[in-house]
Amino acid sequence: MADIIQLLPDHVANQIAAGEVVQRPASVVKELLENAIDASSDSIKLIVKDAGKTLIQVIDNGKGMSRTDARLSFERHATSKIRTAEDLFSLNTKGFRGEALASIAAIAHVELKTKQDLDELGTQIEIEGSSIKNQDVVVTPNGTSLAVKHLFFNIPARRNFLKSDNVELRHIIDEFHRVALAHPDIAFMMYHNGSESFNLPSSNYRQRVVNIFGGKTNEKLVPVEEETEVLKISGFVGKPEFSKRTKNEQFFFVNDRFIKSAYLNHAINSAFEGLMKDGSHPSYFLNLKVDPKSIDINIHPTKTEIKFDDEHTLYAILRSAVKHSLGQFNIAPVLDFERDTNLDTPYSYKNRHGATPMVEVDRSFNPFRDERIGSKPNYSTTSYRKEPAAQWESLYVGLESKGTKTDHHFSEVEFESDQKHDSLFSEEKQVETSQTTYQLHNKYIICTIKSGIMILDQHRAHQRVLYEGFLKHLTLKEAVSQQLLFPLALKFSSTEMTLLGQLKEDLEHTGFVFSSFEKDTLEITGVPINVPESEVSILLEQLISDVEQDVPDSHFSATDLLAKSMAKSLAIKTGQALTKFEQEHLVNSLFGCKAPSVSPTNRVTFITMSVDDFDKKFM
């Protein structure tokens, strides 16, 4: 096979946007996976050690490279994807700049093994910091294996800026999800530190989504299909009741390339308007097919932003397609009180023709035929007579015994004593009980103090009380659990289970008891005392959301984040009425805390107003 990698002319290379800078291990994973897809692979394996800091290896069974191509692939602006500047507007490949391998080879140890189908032997190249250490002939399977070791070995400053392994692994998994979702026809496998994280066989798009995000995702998906002259849409959106607090399940793919677009995301949100709670985000997995000449991919180094020729048309089509799917599958409510949903014709029956109904008649039936004596009884015509209800006089039956008469003397009957009304000028001393706390609009608690009044925000105050309580249990590792009558089984995606696995020990210190911790199922047999069973799922989802938005780097911050998240989920909500005892208990508990003046998020919990402040109002 002829060599296909060539150096781009200077006038073409200068028109390409600034080169991709390898910021973290996830950047390397993205580039290597995209190169494997461009090599026409149908099976790709990703191997990661220490969140990519020690090893990132991608093995594919693609078409491989010749010896010359293998050597030339590490040169800057050397690519087989484009030839002229006009090719930038008709791209059908993931990469096109020819900079990825050169950038990676400059800051890591790289080992490349590649072999084409018709060759007997392959090529092995070892590079350290852009300098070639070895090039030899090697026995290797068809395809390419590229291992990146000791990332940033010659740039210690950038290596020091890397986050913890948990954070970097999350970024790698995010990139893996984006590539795997865009190509469901390719089998993907991922291994981290020797254990299998994902094994995604070649499948259809729906099954790929379910394999990545867990079995419970299948019931959430609503299919979206639309085809016009300018845009073809396919994929799924999530039902409104399964909306997320984060945007982690929002995926746009344009011509099999993951993109981020706030404008198109607004189209989805407008289609869900009125169907979701405030602060929730819809899930969607949508593939958009457009003419490559109508988009410009080369406006950002990461190639995740795209410029469209006519964004307004795409916005309108996307919004109407999603609204149509929500209405088609009875997700969006219909305000028609005379409409009977049982008489609706399924949407899939729109092109079917009605069949002639078949009627069966019992020709031997005769309604005037007399029943003969001794014949078999007809139980289908048996009637039953309802006994009349007893009259009210029967209530007094049995008060007198038979044969004897019992006299009832009212003098023997004891009556409840009348309520005694004390005199206004009673000589006995009365204990004065005055209420000192009041609840305003089920949101604030007003307390009287010596200098005036204190106004307390019940939600923030309860957050502070719960936060310090959870923090104490997590620090001292002493917590009391209440056992559930039946185990509670919850399903999460593999990514969510990974996050919960990292917090499992801390959760157990707060009072959770786990009986099993499988790949996508969590079984709970005990919960903290102040956590209702019905709110366990909500609490864990909120915790996952908080961890994904603010991933901790140390054990202490993980403990602090867990305490904050649980306190926010379980705190008394605005609008909840409290009894006088609950109000007083909350006030006393707040001032028993170490920092009663602020909530866990550093927001004011109470304010005070003195009598002088009131006097100034009346001046």
Side-chain angles (χ1 to χ4, degrees):
M1 184 181 294
D3 302 330
I4 59 176
I5 296 180
Q6 299 180 9
L7 283 171
L8 290 177
D10 291 340
H11 69 279
V12 176
N14 292 333
Q15 296 184 43
I16 296 177
E20 169 74 4
V21 178
V22 181
Q23 298 178 341
R24 54 181 4 129
S27 306
V28 178
V29 171
K30 173 180 179 292
E31 297 295 338
L32 297 186
L33 289 177
E34 289 182 349
N35 282 343
I37 292 172
D38 288 339
S40 303
S41 308
D42 58 16
S43 178
I44 300 175
K45 183 184 297 184
L46 171 64
I47 302 173
V48 178
K49 288 185 179 179
D50 299 331
K53 299 175 184 177
T54 303
L55 172 68
I56 300 173
Q57 184 176 10
V58 173
I59 304 172
D60 66 67
N61 60 349
K63 52 190 177 184
M65 292 181 285
S66 64
R67 174 179 294 225
T68 304
D69 285 348
R71 175 64 186 85
L72 196 57
S73 64
F74 291 97
E75 297 293 333
R76 191 167 298 277
H77 297 309
T79 180
S80 62
K81 316 297 173 60
I82 62 175
R83 290 289 181 266
T84 64
E86 288 73 18
D87 293 340
L88 291 172
F89 298 96
S90 58
L91 291 172
N92 294 310
T93 57
K94 300 289 184 183
F96 53 86
R97 298 193 183 111
E99 293 184 324
L101 293 183
S103 300
I104 295 171
I107 44 87
H109 296 181
V110 179
E111 181 182 6
L112 170 68
K113 293 181 181 180
T114 183
K115 174 181 173 295
Q116 294 180 335
D117 189 17
L118 300 179
D119 295 340
E120 294 183 0
L121 297 174
T123 303
Q124 178 180 4
I125 298 178
E126 295 179 2
I127 300 178
E128 295 180 7
S130 296
S131 65
I132 297 179
K133 298 299 182 181
N134 182 33
Q135 180 172 347
D136 202 353
V137 178
V138 67
V139 177
T140 183
N142 293 337
T144 302
S145 170
L146 202 150
V148 179
K149 306 175 183 177
H150 310 300
L151 194 64
F152 302 130
F153 77 101
N154 53 355
I155 312 179
R158 188 176 295 179
R159 189 178 182 90
N160 292 335
F161 275 106
L162 292 179
K163 304 294 184 181
S164 65
D165 287 358
N166 293 334
V167 179
E168 297 299 338
L169 179 61
R170 273 196 57 249
H171 287 289
I172 291 175
I173 292 176
D174 287 343
E175 293 293 347
F176 181 81
H177 285 172
R178 294 168 182 175
V179 176
L181 282 172
H183 301 275
D185 56 324
I186 300 177
F188 287 90
M189 288 165 283
M190 177 178 170
Y191 299 87
H192 180 245
N193 290 342
S195 61
E196 182 182 275
S197 300
F198 294 95
N199 189 349
L200 309 176
S202 175
S203 60
N204 57 33
Y205 191 57
R206 187 186 192 106
Q207 191 61 44
R208 175 56 57 88
V209 173
V210 172
N211 287 339
I212 291 178
F213 294 99
K216 69 173 184 177
T217 312
N218 191 34
E219 60 178 314
K220 305 178 184 178
L221 301 179
V222 177
V224 178
E225 296 287 341
E226 190 66 47
E227 186 171 359
T228 64
E229 294 180 356
V230 296
L231 175 67
K232 179 181 178 182
I233 304 173
S234 63
F236 303 92
V237 295
K239 295 180 181 178
E241 59 266 29
F242 297 105
S243 57
K244 293 279 189 177
R245 297 180 180 269
T246 61
K247 299 180 180 180
N248 290 340
E249 291 188 4
Q250 295 184 345
F251 294 89
F252 275 126
F253 300 98
V254 175
N255 296 350
D256 296 333
R257 184 190 300 273
F258 173 79
I259 68 159
K260 297 177 181 178
S261 174
Y263 189 69
L264 296 183
N265 180 68
H266 187 272
I268 304 294
N269 290 332
S270 62
F272 277 87
E273 187 176 2
L275 300 177
M276 296 187 306
K277 300 178 183 177
D278 293 337
S280 299
H281 303 281
S283 301
Y284 54 80
F285 313 89
L286 296 175
N287 296 299
L288 311 180
K289 297 289 185 181
V290 298
D291 185 1
K293 296 181 180 179
S294 66
I295 58 176
D296 185 6
I297 303 172
N298 192 39
I299 64 172
H300 193 274
T302 60
K303 295 174 282 190
T304 57
E305 297 180 10
I306 290 182
K307 185 177 180 181
F308 297 93
D309 279 352
D310 190 358
E311 284 188 332
H312 299 288
T313 302
L314 299 182
Y315 182 98
I317 295 174
L318 184 61
R319 179 177 179 272
S320 61
V322 174
K323 286 185 72 71
H324 175 70
S325 293
L326 294 176
Q328 170 184 338
F329 293 93
N330 292 329
I331 304 301
V334 180
L335 292 178
D336 186 359
F337 299 103
E338 297 181 357
R339 172 173 168 266
D340 187 357
T341 57
N342 295 324
L343 301 179
D344 289 348
T345 303
Y347 194 80
S348 58
Y349 282 61
K350 64 177 183 177
N351 296 324
R352 296 191 181 185
H353 300 286
T356 304
M358 303 296 294
V359 180
E360 296 183 1
V361 179
D362 184 5
R363 301 186 182 278
S364 63
F365 175 72
N366 184 1
F368 303 102
R369 182 175 58 190
D370 296 333
E371 294 290 341
R372 296 183 180 180
I373 300 175
S375 61
K376 187 176 181 180
N378 186 7
Y379 292 102
S380 62
T381 60
T382 303
S383 62
Y384 299 92
R385 181 170 64 88
K386 186 177 180 181
E387 294 294 335
Q391 300 297 323
W392 64 272
E393 293 90 346
S394 62
L395 296 174
Y396 298 93
V397 175
L399 290 179
E400 296 182 358
S401 59
K402 189 175 181 180
T404 60
K405 190 172 182 179
T406 306
D407 293 333
H408 297 280
H409 299 283
F410 286 102
S411 61
E412 300 176 358
V413 180
E414 295 182 359
F415 292 94
E416 186 177 342
S417 61
D418 294 335
Q419 184 176 1
K420 294 182 179 180
H421 299 282
D422 293 336
S423 173
L424 182 63
F425 302 100
S426 176
E427 295 180 358
E428 297 180 359
K429 293 183 179 180
Q430 298 179 358
V431 179
E432 183 180 352
T433 58
S434 59
Q435 184 172 351
T436 59
T437 61
Y438 304 88
Q439 192 175 22
L440 179 64
H441 295 300
N442 292 339
K443 182 177 182 180
Y444 299 106
I445 297 176
I446 301 176
C447 310
T448 58
I449 55 178
K450 183 180 292 186
S451 61
I453 64 170
M454 177 180 64
I455 305 174
L456 182 143
D457 187 308
Q458 65 183 31
H459 178 64
R460 297 181 187 177
H462 199 211
Q463 276 193 56
R464 166 55 63 178
V465 174
L466 293 177
Y467 168 72
E468 293 199 3
F470 286 130
L471 206 58
K472 179 181 178 182
H473 293 321
L474 288 167
T475 306
L476 301 179
K477 300 182 180 180
E478 295 178 358
V480 181
S481 302
Q482 56 179 350
Q483 297 298 312
L484 300 177
L485 185 60
F486 300 102
L488 181 62
L490 302 175
K491 287 187 174 293
F492 295 97
S493 66
S494 56
T495 306
E496 294 171 340
M497 289 295 292
T498 302
L499 291 175
L500 291 175
Q502 298 167 4
L503 298 171
K504 180 182 177 182
E505 184 178 353
D506 291 329
L507 285 171
E508 290 174 342
H509 293 158
T510 63
F512 282 96
V513 179
F514 303 101
S515 58
S516 69
F517 217 94
E518 299 178 358
K519 187 175 182 181
D520 60 349
T521 305
L522 188 68
E523 192 171 87
I524 302 173
T525 56
V527 295
I529 289 182
N530 53 351
V531 178
E533 182 180 351
S534 58
E535 295 188 9
V536 172
S537 177
I538 301 174
L539 188 150
L540 293 179
E541 288 181 359
Q542 177 66 48
L543 174 62
I544 292 171
S545 171
D546 292 339
V547 172
E548 289 175 341
Q549 290 179 352
D550 183 19
V551 180
D553 289 338
S554 64
H555 182 73
F556 173 77
S557 56
T559 302
D560 183 70
L561 179 62
L562 176 59
K564 285 181 180 178
S565 178
M566 293 183 64
K568 181 171 63 175
S569 299
L570 298 173
I572 298 170
K573 302 297 186 291
T574 298
Q576 183 174 343
L578 301 178
T579 64
K580 180 177 180 294
F581 174 77
E582 291 172 337
Q583 297 169 23
E584 294 177 350
H585 180 71
L586 178 58
V587 174
N588 296 332
S589 299
L590 175 65
F591 288 97
C593 296
K594 295 181 179 179
S597 59
V598 292
S599 69
T601 54
N602 291 324
R603 304 180 72 178
V604 177
T605 57
F606 67 89
I607 60 172
T608 58
M609 296 183 68
S610 64
V611 177
D612 294 338
D613 295 332
F614 286 104
D615 292 339
K616 292 177 183 178
K617 298 292 183 182
F618 289 95
M619 290 179 64

